[in-house]
Amino acid sequence: MEAKTNQIKLFVPTFEIEDCLQEIRECLEIGWTGAGFKTNEFESLWSDYSGAEYSLFLNSNTAGLEIALQSLGILNNWSEASEIITTPLTFISTNHAILRNNLKPIFADVDESLCLDPIQVQDAINSNTAAVMYVGIGGNTGQLLEIAKICRAAKIPLILDAAHMAGTKYISGENFTDIADVVIYSFQAVKNLPTGDSGLLATNHSKIFDLAKKLSWLGINASTYERSTDKNKYRWMYDVEHLGSKSNGNSIMAAIAKVQLKVLDRDNEYRRSIANSYNQQLSSLSGIKTPKVYEEIVSSQHLYQIRVPGGLRDQLIENLNYNKIDVGVHYRLNSKYKMYEEFLDLCPNATQIESEILSLPMHLRLDEEDVLRVSNQIQHWWDAHLR
């Protein structure tokens, strides 16, 4: 059989197309595509799946991060002097959410899991610390449980940016909303539970949920759907209690999310099988390693990352791209962006890791031949550089 020469993509979303279309058709036939209807259904399904007491479907993870901080800020009387301990190794939406709430990001260093280091977090806590923002990069949890203990002892909220973590689970069965005060997921197109673009805020705290729900709909104290289904209320009779944003999710995205949730665990199992294949193929390459994953979890395996030492990472990227293999870097250190440059060089481990990390293709349309092609190309290139 002739070897494949097609482009191997980094991410390709895969949908249960006919089932998605059926759910969307129901929205169109009834004539309700906005918030309510399917969004309510999905919120209930997600709470059942994840164990969260409250779930709020939103238009993005980014919106969820901003609303989580705004809600906690209102409930806890934060000021502009309030600091949020966060990671520099993340997508900028994590830290933009802090700045957009007029709060101060304080970068702490990461450990070998690429997640926040508990020791660094403990050292960063002071009288101005308002919360910790923790990112489960790639679907990994790192030392989240240790961070949670630190936050409880310091009596500060823990926010979990779980953009990569749809389907990540603790083997013990512990729910993430039992660990963190607020958990925010992403259901963007290339995430493990893909839609067009959407996200979800989950919490076990009724006050956070009630406020977040209002803030996601411009601060209005009752949604259009609620006012439309209550015949005893005039639709225009509502109050505006806070300066919110237009961040609610819609029923078209929720219709897709409902279907994709049904296959999330199956799809994540396939992702883990791809990761295991990479592990087997690349295990003999001396010097190349992967981020630490703790045995206490079953990862969503959103990313498969390797670390390429010796300043050779960018050369490998060029080689793989030349051979029609797309790769990525998750992420560029936020402190290398102009607006965060005051934090440059404060996190040496993150700086080292950022120069080495490389994300390999990881999606449901990969097969064993694709994984072998990627792995062989890396091995041939690596062997050439060791000679």
Side-chain angles (χ1 to χ4, degrees), residues 108-123:
D109 213 344
V110 301
D111 61 20
E112 295 305 299
S113 72
L114 312 192
C115 300
L116 280 173
D117 185 331
I119 296 174
Q120 300 298 318
V121 169
Q122 182 70 70
D123 289 346

Side-chain angles (χ1 to χ4, degrees), residues 69-308:
L69 286 164
Q70 187 180 3
S71 299
L72 288 168
I74 292 170
L75 292 171
N76 294 288
N77 297 312
W78 291 349
S79 69
E80 291 187 4
S82 297
E83 299 175 352
I84 309 297
I85 298 173
T86 184
T87 172
L89 195 64
T90 183
F91 186 56
I92 55 170
S93 60
T94 305
N95 293 315
H96 274 13
I98 298 171
L99 294 181
R100 288 178 66 84
N101 276 278
N102 295 315
L103 302 165
K104 294 184 177 181
I106 302 297
F107 286 166
D109 213 344
V110 301
D111 61 20
E112 295 305 299
S113 72
L114 312 192
C115 300
L116 280 173
D117 185 331
I119 296 174
Q120 300 298 318
V121 169
Q122 182 70 70
D123 289 346
I125 292 175
N126 60 57
S127 59
N128 289 325
T129 303
V132 172
M133 178 81 82
Y134 192 92
V135 178
I137 191 165
N140 198 0
T141 58
Q143 298 186 72
L144 175 61
L145 295 176
E146 289 301 313
I147 298 287
K149 291 178 183 177
I150 292 169
C151 289
R152 284 194 292 270
K155 297 182 179 179
I156 55 176
L158 173 59
I159 305 163
L160 176 57
D161 181 348
H164 295 175
M165 296 176 66
T168 294
K169 298 176 182 179
Y170 278 105
I171 294 173
S172 64
E174 192 166 8
N175 300 325
F176 288 112
T177 47
D178 293 330
I179 300 167
D181 294 273
V182 192
V183 183
I184 302 97
Y185 294 92
S186 174
F187 306 134
Q188 188 263 352
V190 300
K191 297 299 192 298
N192 294 44
L193 196 159
T195 65
D197 201 0
S198 60
L200 183 137
L201 182 152
T203 182
N204 288 351
H205 302 284
S206 60
K207 288 184 178 180
I208 295 175
F209 172 76
D210 291 341
L211 182 52
K213 188 172 183 179
K214 294 172 185 176
L215 292 173
S216 71
W217 179 224
L218 297 165
I220 296 172
N221 65 354
S223 71
T224 303
Y225 188 73
E226 290 167 340
R227 288 181 279 117
S228 298
T229 53
D230 188 345
K231 303 304 180 185
N232 295 318
K233 291 183 179 179
Y234 293 113
R235 296 185 183 185
W236 58 89
M237 294 299 291
Y238 55 79
D239 198 4
V240 182
E241 302 171 349
H242 302 280
L243 181 62
S245 57
K246 180 67 169 65
S247 301
N248 57 278
N250 66 65
S251 287
I252 299 297
M253 294 300 102
I256 299 173
K258 279 185 62 182
V259 174
Q260 296 304 132
L261 178 57
K262 295 177 183 178
V263 296
L264 176 60
D265 288 343
R266 180 203 70 185
D267 290 352
N268 284 349
E269 181 62 32
Y270 188 73
R271 288 174 174 272
R272 289 189 290 271
S273 73
I274 293 169
N276 288 335
S277 294
Y278 276 133
N279 287 338
Q280 292 171 11
Q281 297 296 328
L282 300 175
S283 61
S284 63
L285 299 187
S286 176
I288 290 182
K289 58 182 180 179
T290 57
K292 183 174 182 177
V293 178
Y294 288 83
E295 295 181 355
E296 62 196 8
I297 69 161
V298 178
S299 173
S300 65
Q301 200 66 65
H302 176 63
L303 299 174
Y304 185 88
Q305 295 171 288
I306 60 173
R307 291 178 60 177
V308 184

